[in-house]
Amino acid sequence: MTTYALQTRNLVKKFGGFVATNDVSLNVEAGARHALIGPNGAGKTTLINLLTGFLEPTSGEVILNGDTVTHLAQHQRVKRGLARTFQINRLFAELTVLESVTMAVNERIGIGARFWRPVGAYAEAVDEAASLLSTLRLLDLAHEKTRNLAYGKQRLIEIALALAMKPRVLLLDEPAAGVPTSESRELFETIAALPRDVTILLIEHDMDLVFRFADCISVLVSGALLTGGTPDEIANNPKVKEVYLGEAISV
């Protein structure tokens, strides 16, 4: 029996007379590396905003690990195991890598607001942060300030901050945006190596990276799902070639 980590049922979002998300029913299997692709203006980020609670749907449902979360606030969805990154990173430039991730761990366990205690005063949080950095191949940069790092590394730190929330589902909104090609492959190799107990839903425009990373792809066009399937099925789908990928795509 297939287990789904994240689902939508007939999800609709309207802005006045404009339909941004049109009757989207999406199933993301637990443990999947699932990519959401489509041309500019297809509604991908709107859909992510609906999944995370940043936007309220006009109608339809969002289901996380079998529970309906359609009307829960963003922080409530985080507590239930949903985390995301953004197209533009949101890092504390003057903190070190380890300080940044430790602060995120402290926030999750409820001591982040105790600002009178120095970051790192809680040994278990520091150990957890260091372990997470090791998983993401960042431990050797633990004491570097984030502003000094290459952009690809900064994107990985943002992912580390999301993973510090211990999500069961991680939403990545264009993680390679602005990352030089020389760094993007390493970025995706690191993401792909994450444990499969974290389900990943990814938006990405670089089709080479998508086809290397994803085991399932959904195609969104004009706010509606056109089709979904394996990378081979998507690459050879005539409708996908016509509306988005073109004839040159291959895997």
Side-chain angles (χ1 to χ4, degrees):
M1 181 178 178
T2 301
T3 300
Y4 296 110
L6 185 63
Q7 296 173 279
T8 66
R9 292 178 182 163
N10 308 112
L11 202 61
V12 174
K13 179 61 181 178
K14 296 180 180 179
F15 297 97
F18 175 68
V19 181
T21 305
N22 188 5
D23 198 33
V24 172
S25 293
L26 178 70
N27 295 311
V28 180
E29 292 188 16
R33 283 15 185 176
H34 194 126
L36 182 67
I37 66 172
N40 290 331
K44 302 183 295 297
T45 296
T46 297
L47 180 56
I48 293 291
N49 287 335
L50 291 169
L51 294 174
T52 58
F54 184 79
L55 290 175
E56 181 84 6
T58 304
S59 61
E61 292 182 283
V62 178
I63 301 164
L64 178 64
N65 297 312
D67 296 323
T68 299
V69 298
T70 312
H71 302 294
L72 293 186
Q74 294 180 69
H75 72 275
Q76 293 173 309
R77 300 187 198 200
V78 171
K79 288 183 177 180
R80 288 178 178 240
L82 183 67
R84 75 173 291 183
T85 65
F86 295 84
Q87 292 180 11
I88 301 173
N89 73 44
R90 303 180 176 192
L91 301 176
F92 298 99
E94 294 304 316
L95 292 183
T96 68
V97 173
L98 183 60
E99 287 170 343
S100 298
V101 180
T102 300
M103 189 164 64
V105 173
N106 284 342
E107 184 69 28
R108 189 197 76 238
I109 62 181
I111 60 175
R114 300 179 190 176
F115 54 85
W116 61 88
R117 294 290 298 275
V119 171
Y122 302 90
E124 290 185 6
V126 175
D127 289 345
E128 182 179 331
S131 176
L132 188 51
L133 291 177
S134 179
T135 297
L136 290 170
R137 308 170 189 175
L138 292 169
L139 191 57
D140 60 332
L141 300 173
H143 301 294
E144 290 283 344
K145 289 189 176 181
T146 60
R147 62 178 169 81
N148 295 333
L149 302 182
Y151 195 65
K153 298 295 186 185
Q154 291 184 15
R155 299 297 286 186
L156 278 175
I157 296 166
E158 187 186 11
I159 292 169
L161 298 181
L163 290 172
M165 298 295 104
K166 287 198 171 179
R168 296 171 66 184
V169 180
L170 178 61
L171 309 180
L172 302 179
D173 192 353
E174 296 191 42
V179 178
T181 303
S182 59
E183 299 176 37
S184 60
R185 181 164 295 186
E186 179 187 2
L187 171 68
F188 267 74
E189 287 174 352
T190 304
I191 296 170
L194 291 173
R196 284 276 174 164
D197 58 359
V198 179
T199 301
I200 297 177
L201 178 62
L202 163 88
I203 294 176
E204 181 54 57
H205 284 293
D206 188 322
M207 290 298 99
D208 180 59
L209 293 176
V210 166
F211 279 87
R212 288 175 179 272
F213 173 80
D215 45 44
C216 184
I217 299 173
S218 295
V219 184
L220 197 67
V221 177
S222 300
L225 281 177
L226 175 69
T227 188
T230 66
D232 281 337
E233 290 169 339
I234 296 302
N236 293 295
N237 186 305
K239 291 183 179 179
V240 175
K241 291 181 178 181
E242 179 183 351
V243 303
Y244 185 60
L245 294 175
E247 296 295 333
I249 192 69
S250 63
V251 294

